[in-house]
Amino acid sequence: NAGVTQTPKFRILKIGQSMTLQCTQDMNHNYMYWYRQDPGMGLKLIYYSVGAGITDKGEVPNGYNVSRSTTEDFPLRLELAAPSQTSVYFCASRFTDGYNEQFFGPGTRLTVL
Amino acid sequence: GEDVEQSLFLSVREGDSSVINCTYTDSSSTYLYWYKQEPGAGLQLLTYIFSNMDMKQDQRLTVLLNKKDKHLSLRIADTQTGDSAIYFCAESSGNTGKLIFGQGTTLQVKP
């Protein structure tokens, strides 16, 4: 199993540009999450999904959109990039019910200039 | 809303014990976690504790939970230079598994 994979690893965007951060997991996990980590801070939840076709907002959803058309994929879309979105983005997944470890991807480092 | 607080920095000598502390506000927390993040890497789950437990030991790691004071600690015995990293405390409640993270504690281990 590859686990949780994210692409790209790094990206520099200009203000106003758009991009999609890709996340794929091959563990057949129902739940998937997007977090952002600002310098010197903990992770904050952007969006999450409890299964294909179902998504919901986390703590910091403004400026982002998500979709979940398959169990494996959970892309995060930035429509109009702003400098405040400069961050490291982590995708995670887990099984449902009770305690289940949340597995994290390696992250995407995004800079908006 | 829920909040998780940690001290930002801890420095210890190799071979000493390290204790990293965390406080949280959500009394309905079901699970509490410790994650480790090495430079430029993702998060690695170190250990977790269910909210009805007081203590959990896993090799060099000991987790203590004081539910009354909403205080969680991670003790690393015989700290090694390879333990140098950022340690995050996190809590979850409910069925969605959403994690609320603290700011992270940078552990520096001096030879």
Side-chain angles (χ1 to χ4, degrees), chain B residues 84-97:
Chain B
S84 292
I86 303 175
Y87 291 80
F88 290 96
C89 171
E91 61 95 8
S92 71
S93 59
N95 295 327
T96 61

Side-chain angles (χ1 to χ4, degrees), chain A residues 21 36 38 46-47 57 60-66 76-79 82 84-87 89 110:
Chain A
L21 283 68
R36 60 178 283 174
D38 296 333
I46 306 171
Y47 271 95
K57 295 178 181 178
V60 289
N62 290 345
Y64 306 94
N65 278 302
V66 293
L76 177 73
R77 178 94 180 145
L78 282 71
E79 290 295 348
S84 60
Q85 293 177 303
T86 294
S87 191
Y89 291 84
L110 175 68

Side-chain angles (χ1 to χ4, degrees), chain B residues 16-52:
Chain B
D16 288 350
S17 291
S18 307
V19 180
I20 302 171
N21 294 300
C22 168
T23 57
Y24 60 98
T25 58
D26 186 1
S27 57
S28 64
S29 294
T30 311
Y31 294 99
L32 295 123
Y33 306 84
W34 285 103
Y35 281 86
K36 178 183 181 183
Q37 185 180 38
E38 297 186 9
L43 275 72
Q44 171 197 356
L45 180 66
L46 282 179
T47 187
Y48 71 96
I49 188 166
F50 188 45
S51 58
N52 68 354

